[in-house]
Amino acid sequence: MAVSGGQDSLSVLKLFSDLQPKWQWELAVAHCDHRWTEDEGMATHVQKVVETFGLPFFLLRAKEPIVETEAAARKWRYEVLTQCCLEQGYDYLVTGHTGSDRAETLLYNLIRGSGSDGLQALTWQRSLTPHLTLVRPLLNFFRSETQAICDQFKLPIWEDPANNNLAYARNRLRKQILPELKAHFNPQVELALAQTSEVLRSETEYLQQLASDLFQKASSEQASHSLLRQPLKNSPLALQRRVMRLFWHHNFTIAPTFNQIEELTALIHAPNGSRTSSFPNNCYAQVKANIIYLQSSR
């Protein structure tokens, strides 16, 4: 279990510890120390809490202070948590993400212009490696409920000052945007957004499987970096776009823009000789008879 010392992760610690005798789980706790000045004392606090539960404790401390951005900190945490689990032989990594986090993620990604894949982020579980699964068991809980758990069982929450820093976009959503939405639009907005994310999750998985099958049918055996147009022509636009996104990721390492996927999709019905604008690595896609080829302009 990844335990930061906040109310959500302490709730996971309490719930899993209480359930351990029934399920015979082998539990342990890891805490990530970013070596940020404002976090001084946090690791010691978490270790003392874990000792009261009688569980193994792993302190994962950065060699140098991690860059103070959400993305950098999250990337580092998953790297060291994954490494710890694999070294110690654990099959699951459990985090305290809640329905509140899910609502914030959907709203955050919507503002950034993510498609449905981004809007259904924070799934119940996903593979980190072939031997390690990330599990988020509290997605049907909300922050008000984890606070109630900590209050009821007198769990000592570490109040992280970083959670109040409005320079972080998620904190601004949590502290300013969502309270406004609750007050003026829907008091149950977190629940509504989390439920929308759950619906999108199952629909996205289904569409992605259909798109993967269609991508295999359209992959040309005559030449690499190409697609057959005929299997795609009578497919719904949603699947055409997903196939083109798969085609993109099959050939490029950077994420595509909306316009680049639209250009590729338009080639499915475009006249012979039609081509896209320039893509990464001076490449472009062009129609030759029934095939879409990816070619270099060099």
Side-chain angles (χ1 to χ4, degrees):
M1 296 170 285
V3 175
S4 66
Q7 65 187 57
D8 299 338
S9 61
L10 288 183
S11 295
V12 165
L13 176 60
K14 173 62 176 171
L15 291 169
F16 270 59
S17 296
D18 287 353
L19 290 169
Q20 182 182 30
K22 178 178 181 179
W23 298 106
Q24 298 299 305
W25 287 328
E26 181 182 348
L27 300 178
V29 172
H31 173 78
C32 297
D33 182 358
H34 303 85
R35 294 188 63 180
W36 294 341
T37 303
E38 61 267 26
D39 288 349
E40 186 175 350
M42 182 190 295
T44 301
H45 171 82
V46 172
Q47 184 170 3
K48 289 180 179 178
V49 173
V50 174
E51 286 174 355
T52 66
F53 286 87
L55 297 175
F57 177 76
F58 299 97
L59 175 59
L60 310 178
R61 194 164 190 260
K63 295 179 180 179
E64 300 291 337
I66 302 301
V67 176
E68 294 193 37
T69 66
E70 294 174 88
R74 182 170 56 252
K75 180 176 182 294
W76 174 75
R77 284 197 302 271
Y78 277 113
E79 286 176 352
V80 295
L81 286 167
T82 297
Q83 182 180 358
C84 179
C85 287
L86 295 177
E87 289 177 351
Q88 301 300 325
Y90 289 96
D91 300 318
Y92 298 94
L93 170 62
V94 178
T95 65
H97 291 100
T98 65
S100 299
D101 294 300
R102 207 175 200 186
E104 292 164 7
T105 299
L106 186 150
L107 196 56
Y108 179 67
N109 286 342
L110 179 64
I111 293 169
R112 294 172 60 215
S114 296
S116 56
D117 288 16
L119 299 183
Q120 57 88 47
L122 287 187
T123 55
W124 289 91
Q125 65 179 48
R126 67 180 177 90
S127 296
L128 294 175
T129 75
H131 305 289
L132 180 63
T133 301
L134 171 66
V135 180
R136 301 181 177 105
L138 296 190
L139 289 184
N140 58 343
F141 286 72
F142 292 87
R143 205 162 283 122
S144 59
E145 294 172 298
T146 59
Q147 180 68 59
I149 290 172
C150 291
D151 291 343
Q152 179 178 348
F153 295 102
K154 296 180 172 56
L155 302 177
I157 299 170
W158 179 273
E159 299 294 345
D160 186 354
N163 290 335
N164 296 315
N165 186 351
L166 296 183
Y168 295 132
R170 287 182 180 271
N171 287 347
R172 191 174 293 276
L173 280 173
R174 183 178 305 163
K175 300 290 185 179
Q176 295 182 335
I177 306 302
L178 279 169
E180 284 289 308
L181 293 175
K182 288 180 182 179
H184 300 290
F185 294 92
N186 181 0
Q188 298 296 319
V189 66
E190 282 187 329
L191 176 61
L193 290 172
Q195 289 174 338
T196 298
S197 183
E198 178 63 18
V199 170
L200 286 169
R201 180 192 64 81
S202 56
E203 291 182 354
T204 296
E205 287 180 354
Y206 174 65
L207 285 172
Q208 195 60 21
Q209 184 58 58
L210 292 179
S212 296
D213 294 342
L214 186 56
F215 176 68
Q216 293 300 319
K217 292 179 182 178
S219 296
S220 173
E221 297 180 357
Q222 300 177 16
S224 59
H225 311 302
S226 61
L227 283 176
L228 297 172
R229 295 203 295 170
Q230 193 58 43
L232 304 175
K233 285 186 175 180
N234 294 322
S235 301
L237 178 59
L239 290 182
Q240 292 176 350
R241 284 175 170 151
R242 285 183 173 274
V243 167
M244 289 308 177
R245 187 170 289 274
L246 288 171
F247 181 60
W248 179 282
H249 287 301
H250 188 72
N251 290 285
F252 302 110
T253 56
I254 65 172
T257 66
F258 173 80
N259 289 335
Q260 287 168 333
I261 296 300
E262 290 299 283
E263 283 192 71
L264 279 171
T265 305
L267 294 184
I268 296 173
H269 296 285
N272 188 38
S274 300
R275 55 171 288 181
T276 64
S277 57
S278 182
F279 288 163
N281 305 322
N282 290 316
C283 290
Y284 63 91
Q286 185 171 22
V287 174
K288 293 184 179 179
N290 187 43
I291 301 179
I292 299 172
Y293 289 94
L294 195 63
Q295 301 185 110
S296 174
S297 57
R298 292 176 181 174

